[in-house]
Amino acid sequence: MEQYMVEGGNPLVGEVEIGGAKNAALAILAASVMTDETVLIENMPDVRDTNILLQAMQSIGVIVERVDRHSVKINASLIHELVIEDDYIKKIRASYYLLGALLGKYKKAEVALPGGCNIGSRPIDQHIKGFKALGADVRIEHGLIITEAEKLKGSHLYMDVVSVGATINVMMAAAMADGMTIIENAAKEPHVVDLANFLNSMGANIKGAGTDVIRIRGVERLHKTEYTIIPDQIEAGTFMFAAAATRGDVTVKNVIPKHLESISAKLMEIGCEVEESDDAVRVVASRPLNHTHVKTLPYPGFPTDMQPQITVALGLSQGTSIVTESIFENRFKYVDELTRMGASIKVEGNTAIIDGVSRYTGASITAPDLRAGAALVIAALAAEGISTVDDIRYIERGYENFPEKLRGLGAMIEKVDNERDVKKFRFKVV
């Protein structure tokens, strides 16, 4: 089984280039099927989730041409099937974006219930509510979500909770509905805005994305476009906290600093220096880290996808910190792994109480999900000695060239897949 081997104790220093946003890419790739003309998408991250989605799209007749590793041409004029239920698509959460896209274009779609990381309950009730408000019939049969409508009509709906997935799905379906749709209590995340900009570049009429009220006037058809995906806010934040935990000096390049404000603010609270420029952020951790309190919230609050990374840094901070998870109820599974490395963390319900320790020590640890996996790699980089990180398939769902980018900052990390490689690594670093 493939794993990462990490020799910790070296500060990360240097520059790292951030790729395209995985969460934006998944929504935009799904939305690209809504026109019969060819769409060019650039700055697409080459990660497992995007590749699985492209494979699922090909299975229903979408023509996918990889121009290069980060650019893809998509033509959906020959779609011959509106049922997507292959084994791959069940592994990613974003499979449900094809519901909104296909329902908007063809007024019918059947997609396997989504998978993804087991970080807690992620109900689809708000998606169903939105589709029904537009006039669609929705039912779940044999593990499939089935949506169909004679025609879709604009509607005024209020989301009971802020849901990124439901906002994206309803926005896609409403883009080709008759009349005006108003989504209140909409999600404001950067990838919601990126999808709206993408759809508008294809001729949609969407206003208000990035606020809590989005207005969509439906159009009859969408046309070809060329579009560049925004940088990945979570990948950038991961490297920023890696700099903090390892007492390093890292400049993350190709970012939108505005998207990182809640992350930068917490880094400054715990004693890091943060310097922003037009498209880069530098994090310097030259002093001992301080404790703080943080609560995950929908954007522009502190992202739930950054909660494990800040917890790793706070575990090495002076004093007692409190991290409250308000989005998902099962997102502290990695704490047991951190405890094996010497962390002092007590979880009570949706809150982690962290007593900072002076160091972590190397251990054999397992990634329970995507973001926690990346956070455990950060912990291994900060620890004394050698660590192994198992189940790295989770990490590869959302981070492209993760070990290579870390090595570019001076990390000692290798991807190994057999006992001989493990022995070579140990010989090389001990």
Side-chain angles (χ1 to χ4, degrees):
M1 184 172 64
E2 290 184 328
Q3 58 184 194
Y4 292 147
M5 293 207 70
V6 182
E7 168 79 355
N10 296 324
L12 298 186
V13 178
E15 299 180 345
V16 62
E17 192 90 11
I18 301 304
K22 173 187 80 86
N23 290 331
L26 293 169
I28 287 169
L29 288 172
S32 69
V33 308
M34 296 181 70
T35 176
D36 283 343
E37 299 179 12
T38 299
V39 171
L40 173 64
I41 298 169
E42 297 179 312
N43 201 35
M44 183 190 72
D46 182 20
V47 294
R48 188 167 294 178
D49 275 15
T50 54
N51 291 326
I52 287 172
L53 184 60
L54 287 170
Q55 188 174 348
M57 289 162 56
Q58 286 178 298
S59 74
I60 61 170
V62 178
I63 299 169
V64 175
E65 178 191 341
R66 297 296 284 260
V67 179
D68 56 43
R69 188 174 183 186
H70 300 119
S71 302
V72 62
K73 285 184 178 177
I74 293 171
N75 185 289
S77 61
L78 299 177
I79 286 179
H80 54 71
E81 180 68 72
L82 298 178
V83 180
I84 303 174
E85 56 176 339
D86 63 52
D87 288 337
Y88 287 102
I89 200 68
K90 297 173 186 174
K91 297 177 181 177
I92 64 170
R93 187 70 189 167
S95 59
Y96 58 31
Y97 290 154
L98 289 168
L99 280 169
L102 294 173
L103 179 64
K105 184 180 181 184
Y106 296 106
K107 310 303 180 273
K108 182 177 167 96
E110 299 182 24
V111 178
L113 280 163
C117 291
N118 181 22
I119 55 176
S121 171
R122 296 193 275 189
I124 59 168
D125 58 316
Q126 296 304 299
H127 303 246
I128 293 171
K129 173 181 175 175
F131 293 151
K132 286 183 173 179
L134 296 174
D137 175 61
V138 186
R139 60 191 189 277
I140 297 175
E141 295 178 359
H142 310 296
L144 296 171
I145 310 170
I146 302 168
T147 64
E148 53 189 329
E150 284 190 24
K151 64 187 300 185
L152 297 175
K153 292 186 177 181
S155 179
H156 191 143
L157 68 141
Y158 184 94
M159 294 287 183
D160 298 322
V161 295
V162 176
S163 167
V164 173
T167 300
I168 284 172
N169 244 336
V170 174
M171 191 161 62
M172 286 194 285
M176 298 181 76
D178 289 343
M180 173 74 80
T181 298
I182 299 174
I183 306 172
E184 295 205 54
N185 200 28
K188 297 180 278 194
E189 269 72 3
H191 49 288
V192 172
V193 178
D194 210 31
L195 173 66
N197 290 340
F198 172 72
L199 288 168
N200 284 341
S201 77
M202 292 202 296
N205 185 348
I206 301 172
K207 296 178 179 176
T211 74
D212 55 8
V213 180
I214 299 177
R215 291 175 168 81
I216 306 135
R217 184 170 295 282
V219 298
E220 284 189 19
R221 59 183 293 276
L222 298 173
H223 55 68
K224 66 182 180 180
T225 190
E226 297 182 1
Y227 194 81
T228 301
I229 293 168
I230 58 170
D232 196 307
Q233 163 202 22
I234 305 304
E235 184 192 9
T238 299
F239 281 100
M240 291 164 74
F241 274 106
T246 63
R247 306 295 195 270
D249 179 350
V250 174
T251 300
V252 293
K253 302 175 70 176
N254 183 37
V255 297
I256 300 172
K258 176 76 176 171
H259 294 169
L260 303 170
E261 284 180 344
S262 65
I263 298 167
S264 297
K266 284 299 171 186
L267 283 164
M268 287 188 281
E269 274 183 37
I270 64 175
C272 296
E273 300 169 50
V274 179
E275 300 174 11
E276 294 183 359
S277 56
D278 288 344
D279 62 351
V281 175
R282 181 186 178 192
V283 177
V284 183
S286 57
R287 303 190 299 271
L289 301 180
N290 305 316
H291 64 277
T292 191
H293 295 178
V294 62
K295 180 178 182 179
T296 62
L297 290 166
Y299 187 86
F302 192 86
T304 180
D305 278 355
M306 289 303 306
Q307 181 256 96
Q309 296 91 316
I310 193 172
T311 299
V312 165
L314 293 176
L316 294 168
S317 301
Q318 297 176 338
T320 300
S321 300
I322 297 176
V323 175
T324 302
E325 173 58 56
S326 74
I327 309 295
F328 295 118
E329 75 275 10
N330 198 20
R331 199 144 205 182
F332 286 117
K333 290 189 297 182
Y334 64 90
V335 167
D336 287 344
E337 305 301 302
L338 268 185
T339 301
R340 294 159 63 85
M341 305 180 77
S344 177
I345 303 174
K346 181 180 180 183
V347 176
E348 296 180 353
N350 67 339
T351 299
I353 302 162
I354 306 158
D355 290 318
V357 298
S358 60
R359 61 171 189 159
Y360 295 142
T361 54
S364 295
I365 49 180
T366 300
D369 60 67
L370 166 57
R371 304 306 176 184
L376 290 172
V377 171
I378 294 174
L381 292 168
E384 291 182 7
I386 293 175
S387 300
T388 60
V389 184
D390 290 328
D391 277 355
I392 63 172
R393 68 184 189 279
Y394 287 117
I395 301 169
E396 292 176 344
R397 283 189 46 223
Y399 291 90
E400 180 182 333
N401 292 348
F402 197 40
E404 291 86 352
K405 288 184 177 183
L406 288 168
R407 282 199 297 272
L409 298 171
M412 300 190 75
I413 177 171
E414 293 285 347
K415 181 177 175 179
V416 297
D417 61 4
N418 58 53
E419 195 64 32
R420 187 178 60 192
D421 285 347
V422 170
K423 288 177 180 175
K424 275 170 46 182
F425 182 85
R426 287 182 181 276
F427 178 77
K428 182 169 61 177
V429 299
V430 171

